[in-house]
Each structure stands twice: as C-alpha cells, then as structure tokens.
C-alpha cells in the first residue's frame, strides 16, 4: 500500500505516520518527492486500515498497489533511482557505456582492453572471471586470478569494474574486488544468490533471464531490494524466441515497460541480445532511442581468438565508432522533452 501525504505535509507529520506504521511492524519506505512525499508500506492491508491512517489530517489518500513487486515499483518511488558507482551516475539521461571482454583472459590482455575502452569513451570495464558456460567443457574463467587482473586494470585506468557472481558463497570475495556485481541471465531466479547480494551495499546489475517475464524479473529485483540493497540496475540481454539468425531476440519493449513500472535504471546488453557483432551497434543505438540508461557490450582486440563469445565481440575500433553513435543518439534524446522518452 502507499500512503500519499498532502503537499505541504511537514517533516514532523511525515515522521508521525512513519513511526505509527513501523510500530505496527510494517515495512516502511519514505520517498520525498518535489511536491509530495509518499510512504510505501509493506505488510497487511488490514493493519494499515486498523490504524486509520487515511483519516489523519496530513494524509491525502491510501492507495493499494496491485503489482506483486513493491519496492521495485514506481508507485512506491515515483522518481528515477540513480545508482552511484564512485563519481558515475547510472539512471540519468547521460547513458553509461560499459564494455570489456566476455571473459578475462590474461593480465596484459585486460589491462590493454581497459586502456582502449577508456580512450574510446567507455565508463565501466566488464569482464567475466567466473563464467556460467552452457558446456562444462568450455573455458570456465580464471576465477579469483581474473578478478585480480580486473582490479589491476581499474588501478591503471580508473574505470570501475563489473563482473559476474555465480554463487552465494563467493559474494564476499566478489565484493572485495568489484564495483558492480553482475547476476547473469541463468541466475536471475537463484533466490539464495539474490538474497546474498541484497545483503551487501554493492550495486547489482541484474540481467533478465532468457525465458523470464518482466514481472518475474522485477520480482527478482524485489528480492535484492527487500534485503536492503537499493542499488539495483536492470539489464535486458535478449530472450529466447523461434528466431535463429540471432542468438536471442533483444526485447527492447522492456525499456519503456520497465521505465513505466519501475524507478530502477535499465541498461541493455545488445551483444548477448543479438549474438553477432554485426548487429551490435544498431541495437545499441536502438537501446538509447528506446530510453535505456546505458549499454553493456563485449569487445575483444581479436574476436576470432576470444575464449568466449568472440562472434558477438566488437573490435576496439568498432567499439570506438559505436560510442560516437551512442553519444549522438544520447544528444538527440536529451533534446526531446523527457515525457516523450518514456511514460513516467
Ligand atoms: C555475460 O555477460 O558474459 C553473460 C554470460 O551474460 P548472460 O548472463 O546475459 O548470458
Ligand atoms: Mn558473454
């Protein structure tokens, strides 16, 4: 449920309502807007009714949220959430570009890629150390060694790093290295893992499972938020359809739908979405035009020699052109009135 305070309600009045709800054991989330403050309440509707909150003079109305996701819902938190990673803001109209290899392959390799990603205008370095491969015989990643190389690349370039966490037991280890924890598509509904990253304060990049609905995805975000970590970034990475020319079908519908339903930032991974480098730049542009808060793409200096996902990796030269095109699109988007970008 949501308690909408009257515009002009004082901090003291808001505090009275908050305490009243909390003392009844209800979960409370206060969101101060420009005009009005709304208080998201998690718990039984009957308890809220018993408290007769609606009849308090500072309260405008009490609304029931019909979505199963609460903390992730825009009803609870009308303004866009901006996730901060150092100086970087994710969730504004300055789209963030994340790039790097699918897997970290060597120390020299990742440092070289990081320098070139930075030079081209990338703002976050990606690189898998623990890889969720479809085959147990495929390269599984360098593990902690890979994380050490990622940290060295950050040291060299100042780029924050994002890498995938696969198991609850490795969350603490990952947190000691990375700036953003990635939850991969295959783990989107790994609830113990979601709870474990929810207990940290490290931003989480939550990829959509390739057979999951947007509602299931938002419910997974809810698991993380409910544990107290409010730094969730959603990532659309393509879903399974009957199409075979592309690896997945990049569901860009998700961008306006998620921006309508949720306050969380949403970025797009066109690399896994299409599976072929040739289509990556076009879909990066499309992601920004749809209103995404950024893109994450795979790059490799020699894609044909990559240990994973070479077919969808851009060379660094192509990545440089992609960044320029994305920036042009971002300029165009900023020139459009915000209401046109997404229904908010
Ligand atoms: C990846 O980012 O390399 C990856 C494995 O992505 P996904 O979980 O979307 O398949
Ligand atoms: Mn990959």
């Amino acid at each position: 449920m949501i308690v909408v305070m009257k515009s002009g309600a004082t901090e003291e009045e808001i505090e009275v309502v908050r305490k009243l709800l909390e003392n009844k054991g209800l979960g409370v989330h206060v969101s101060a807007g420009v005009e009005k403050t709304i208080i998201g309440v998690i718990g039984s509707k009957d308890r809220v009714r018993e408290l007769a909150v609606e009849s308090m003079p500072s309260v405008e109305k009490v609304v029931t949220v019909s979505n199963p996701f609460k903390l992730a819902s825009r009803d609870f938190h009308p303004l866009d959430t901006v996730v901060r990673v150092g100086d970087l803001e994710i969730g504004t109209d300055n789209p963030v570009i994340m790039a790097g290899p699918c897997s970290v392959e060597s120390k020299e390799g990742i440092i070289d890629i990081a320098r070139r990603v930075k030079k081209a205008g990338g703002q976050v370095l990606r690189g898998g150390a623990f890889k969720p491969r479809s085959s147990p015989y495929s390269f599984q990643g360098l593990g902690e060694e890979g994380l050490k190389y990622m940290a060295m690349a950050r040291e060299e370039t100042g780029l924050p790093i994002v890498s995938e966490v696969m198991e609850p037991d490795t969350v603490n280890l990952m947190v000691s290295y990375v700036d953003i924890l990635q939850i991969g598509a295959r783990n989107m509904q790994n609830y113990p893992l979601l709870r474990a990253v929810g207990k940290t304060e490290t931003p989480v990049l939550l990829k959509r499972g390739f057979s999951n609905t947007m509602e299931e995805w938002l419910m997974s975000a809810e698991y993380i938020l409910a544990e107290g970590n409010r730094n969730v970034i959603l990532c659309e990475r393509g879903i399974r359809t009957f199409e075979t020319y592309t690896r997945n079908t990049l569901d860009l519908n998700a961008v306006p739908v998620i921006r309508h339903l949720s306050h969380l930032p949403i970025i797009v991974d066109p690399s896994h979405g299409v599976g072929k480098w040739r289509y990556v730049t076009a879909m990066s542009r499309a992601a920004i035009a749809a209103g995404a808060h950024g893109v994450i793409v795979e790059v490799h200096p020699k894609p044909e020699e990559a240990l994973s996902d070479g077919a969808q990796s851009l060379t660094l030269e192509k990545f440089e052109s992609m960044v320029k095109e994305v920036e042009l699109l971002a300029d165009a988007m900023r020139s459009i009135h915000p209401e046109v970008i997404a229904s908010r």
Side-chain angles (χ1 to χ4, degrees), residues 102 126 131-132 164 182 184-186 207 237 272 298:
C102 179
R126 65 148 288 152
K131 294 302 301 177
E164 178 164 351
Q182 177 174 321
R186 292 158 190 79
K207 289 190 140 193
R237 48 79 71 208
H272 292 84
E298 290 185 337

Side-chain angles (χ1 to χ4, degrees), residues 74 80 92-93 256 259 289-291 293 332-344:
R74 197 176 273 285
D80 286 347
T92 73
D93 59 3
R259 288 199 60 173
H293 296 110
M333 290 301 286
R334 279 187 291 267
S335 74
I336 300 175
H337 196 271
E339 266 89 354
V340 182
I341 297 175
S343 28
R344 285 188 256 194

Side-chain angles (χ1 to χ4, degrees), residues 128-173:
F130 296 94
K131 294 302 301 177
R133 304 308 301 280
S134 300
S135 162
Y137 310 117
S138 302
F139 175 57
Q140 303 286 309
L142 296 180
E144 188 172 357
E145 203 187 336
L147 295 176
K148 288 192 174 137
Y149 300 158
M150 285 288 280
M152 288 176 193
R154 170 179 53 204
E155 190 83 359
E156 272 291 312
T157 58
L159 291 176
I161 57 179
V162 54
S163 196
E164 178 164 351
V165 57
M166 293 216 299
E167 294 172 64
D169 287 352
T170 56
V171 169
N172 289 341
L173 173 83

Side-chain angles (χ1 to χ4, degrees), residues 91-146:
T92 73
D93 59 3
N94 285 322
V96 169
I97 299 176
M98 309 187 185
C102 179
S103 308
V104 181
E105 298 176 356
S106 69
K107 182 168 87 183
E108 295 70 27
I110 191 69
I111 291 176
D112 174 53
I113 293 173
R115 285 201 187 106
R116 295 171 69 185
V117 162
K118 165 114 190 215
K119 190 157 166 270
Q123 294 144 294
V124 176
L125 178 70
R126 65 148 288 152
F130 296 94
K131 294 302 301 177
R133 304 308 301 280
S134 300
S135 162
Y137 310 117
S138 302
F139 175 57
Q140 303 286 309
L142 296 180
E144 188 172 357
E145 203 187 336

Side-chain angles (χ1 to χ4, degrees), residues 43-293:
S44 128
K45 275 183 211 162
D46 294 342
R47 274 213 202 148
V48 180
R49 288 210 187 96
E50 274 165 30
L51 292 171
V53 175
E54 198 147 21
S55 58
M56 294 172 79
S58 58
V59 172
E60 185 178 304
K61 57 182 173 184
V62 176
V63 187
T64 306
V65 180
S66 51
N67 292 325
F69 46 88
K70 310 288 177 198
L71 297 170
S73 163
R74 197 176 273 285
D75 294 333
F76 258 51
H77 191 290
L79 298 179
D80 286 347
T81 283
V82 175
V83 173
R84 290 186 170 80
V85 181
D87 294 338
L88 191 65
E89 294 187 330
I90 305 169
T92 73
D93 59 3
N94 285 322
V96 169
I97 299 176
M98 309 187 185
C102 179
S103 308
V104 181
E105 298 176 356
S106 69
K107 182 168 87 183
E108 295 70 27
I110 191 69
I111 291 176
D112 174 53
I113 293 173
R115 285 201 187 106
R116 295 171 69 185
V117 162
K118 165 114 190 215
K119 190 157 166 270
Q123 294 144 294
V124 176
L125 178 70
R126 65 148 288 152
F130 296 94
K131 294 302 301 177
R133 304 308 301 280
S134 300
S135 162
Y137 310 117
S138 302
F139 175 57
Q140 303 286 309
L142 296 180
E144 188 172 357
E145 203 187 336
L147 295 176
K148 288 192 174 137
Y149 300 158
M150 285 288 280
M152 288 176 193
R154 170 179 53 204
E155 190 83 359
E156 272 291 312
T157 58
L159 291 176
I161 57 179
V162 54
S163 196
E164 178 164 351
V165 57
M166 293 216 299
E167 294 172 64
D169 287 352
T170 56
V171 169
N172 289 341
L173 173 83
M174 294 293 302
V175 165
S176 70
Y177 286 102
V178 306
D179 302 288
I180 305 174
L181 292 161
Q182 177 174 321
I183 301 279
R186 292 158 190 79
N187 272 318
M188 191 206 84
Q189 287 182 309
N190 180 338
Y191 300 119
L193 182 62
L194 298 176
R195 284 194 199 278
V197 300
K199 290 192 171 76
T200 76
E201 286 171 7
T202 305
V204 178
L205 183 69
L206 177 64
K207 289 190 140 193
R208 179 180 179 183
F210 36 68
S211 298
N212 288 110
T213 64
M214 295 183 219
E215 186 167 295
E216 288 164 342
W217 186 18
L218 288 170
M219 289 311 290
S220 292
E222 191 76 14
Y223 264 87
I224 302 170
L225 299 167
E227 291 295 332
N229 189 342
R230 300 292 159 96
N231 301 309
V232 177
I233 305 154
L234 299 166
C235 177
E236 166 59 47
R237 48 79 71 208
I239 53 173
R240 272 203 180 156
T241 67
F242 48 82
E243 183 51 66
T244 54
Y245 278 126
T246 49
R247 179 175 176 183
N248 289 289
T249 294
L250 188 63
D251 183 14
L252 288 182
N253 290 356
V255 177
V257 173
I258 293 292
R259 288 199 60 173
H260 176 216
L261 295 175
S262 179
H263 53 90
L264 296 172
I266 173 167
I267 69 162
V268 169
D269 172 352
S271 306
H272 292 84
V274 298
K276 294 179 181 171
W277 69 264
R278 195 176 292 282
Y279 313 130
V280 169
T281 298
M283 296 314 280
S284 296
R285 291 194 306 258
I288 303 303
H293 296 110

